[in-house]
């Protein structure tokens, strides 16, 4: 079984719709992250969470919100989707203490298309 | 401001040839440094990391990278490329929050 899972893997939605992307992990890590990937732009950090009560904005948080429902679950919401949010979204986790807190493990990604 | 530069958007090498992918960064302190590989349709896999100590680090799949503080660089190398190495490579830096380069796409010619 995969350590970091994302659902759905693919989603097509319309402008203005609310959607949620979900991430679950079985690695027992404290830290979880949401990134988006656009062609030619690499990965950009949207939000990150160091524990259930800790949520932090990343580089590009506008238009997004997150919820850390449990240590193992971190959801990303688009309240009103717009076409320029069409991208590949990745969830990542890290943990283990010391420097290993900075070593990230990525999920398989969710491809989101907003029409 | 923090930034990561991968100056080569695309590189083509012949199978068996050596490879070097460049990464330069701008960061307020000495960050942790990483290289990830992404195969088509896949997530990112960690190739290697530098936290401290020996500036030449070994990773998986025969890759190595050298941290040069004076040049703010962390270049990835492989002595002999295999066709299966064709993928997108990302350099990342940071402490707790991470910044990624725009990636280098590697094509391997048989």
């Amino acid at each position: 079984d995969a350590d970091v899972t994302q659902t759905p893997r693919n989603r097509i939605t319309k402008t203005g719709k609310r959607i949620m992307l979900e991430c679950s992990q079985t690695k027992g890590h404290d830290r979880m992250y949401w990134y988006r990937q656009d062609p030619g732009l690499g990965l950009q950090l949207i939000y990150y969470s160091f524990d259930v009560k800790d949520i932090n904005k990343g580089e590009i948080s506008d238009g997004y919100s997150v919820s850390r429902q449990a240590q193992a679950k971190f959801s990303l919401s688009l309240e009103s989707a717009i076409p320029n949010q069409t991208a590949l979204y990745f969830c990542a986790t890290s943990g283990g203490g010391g420097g290993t807190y900075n070593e990230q493990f990525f999920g398989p990604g969710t491809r989101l298309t907003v029409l | 401001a923090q930034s990561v530069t991968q100056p080569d958007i695309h590189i083509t090498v012949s199978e068996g040839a050596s490879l070097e992918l460049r990464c330069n960064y701008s960061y307020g302190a000495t960050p942790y440094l990483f290289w990830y590989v992404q195969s088509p349709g896949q997530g990112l896999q960690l190739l290697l990391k530098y936290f401290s100590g020996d500036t030449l680090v070994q990773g998986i799949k025969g890759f190595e990278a050298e941290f040069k503080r004076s040049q703010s660089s962390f270049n990835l190398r492989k002595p002999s490329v295999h066709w299966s190495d064709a993928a997108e490579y990302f350099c990342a830096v940071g402490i707790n929050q991470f910044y990624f380069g725009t990636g280098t796409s590697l094509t391997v010619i048989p």
Side-chain angles (χ1 to χ4, degrees):
Chain A
D1 291 337
D3 294 323
V4 184
T5 58
Q6 294 183 235
T7 56
R9 292 295 310 278
N10 289 281
R11 179 74 182 270
I12 300 174
T13 191
K14 295 182 179 180
T15 296
K17 293 291 187 180
R18 182 182 187 278
I19 66 165
M20 178 182 289
L21 310 182
E22 298 185 333
C23 177
S24 296
Q25 53 110 349
T26 58
K27 300 187 75 66
H29 286 169
D30 295 324
R31 301 184 177 190
M32 299 186 74
Y33 310 78
W34 275 106
Y35 292 90
R36 66 176 280 173
Q37 183 181 29
D38 298 277
L41 292 181
L43 275 73
Q44 295 174 283
L45 182 62
I46 307 172
Y47 271 96
Y48 60 105
S49 169
F50 286 174
D51 65 39
V52 174
K53 296 182 179 179
D54 177 81
I55 302 290
N56 304 281
K57 293 183 178 180
E59 300 172 83
I60 56 163
S61 58
D62 288 348
Y64 301 94
S65 63
V66 292
S67 174
R68 185 82 184 266
Q69 301 95 325
Q71 185 201 35
K73 297 183 181 296
F74 193 36
S75 299
L76 176 72
S77 295
L78 287 69
E79 296 301 325
S80 180
I82 57 177
N84 76 359
Q85 291 177 313
T86 294
L88 186 57
Y89 290 84
F90 286 103
C91 175
T93 74
S94 69
T100 61
Y101 267 124
N102 292 278
E103 181 177 335
Q104 297 182 297
F105 296 84
F106 285 82
T110 293
R111 185 166 297 280
L112 176 65
T113 302
V114 183
L115 302 176
Chain B
Q2 295 84 357
S3 66
V4 180
T5 301
Q6 293 181 245
D8 303 305
I9 296 173
H10 186 248
I11 286 181
T12 299
V13 299
S14 298
E15 192 168 15
S18 64
L19 172 69
E20 182 170 29
L21 303 182
R22 296 180 290 166
C23 173
N24 292 92
Y25 67 89
S26 174
Y27 202 86
T30 299
Y32 297 122
L33 303 154
F34 308 86
W35 275 98
Y36 290 89
V37 61
Q38 184 182 29
S39 298
Q42 303 295 314
L44 279 73
Q45 180 184 19
L46 181 68
L47 280 177
L48 48 75
K49 58 187 182 287
Y50 175 77
F51 289 167
S52 64
D54 191 346
T55 56
L56 183 64
V57 294
Q58 303 297 318
I60 62 171
K61 304 184 180 185
F63 285 92
E64 66 178 26
E66 185 172 14
F67 168 54
K68 293 186 177 180
R69 186 190 307 272
S70 62
Q71 299 177 18
S72 296
S73 70
F74 190 55
N75 293 349
L76 182 71
R77 300 194 293 250
K78 187 169 185 178
S80 178
V81 171
H82 188 264
W83 63 266
S84 60
D85 293 324
E88 188 91 17
Y89 292 80
F90 293 94
C91 179
V93 307
I95 301 173
N96 296 326
Q97 181 175 349
F98 304 99
Y99 301 87
F100 283 75
T102 53
T104 297
S105 178
L106 175 65
T107 297
V108 180
I109 299 174

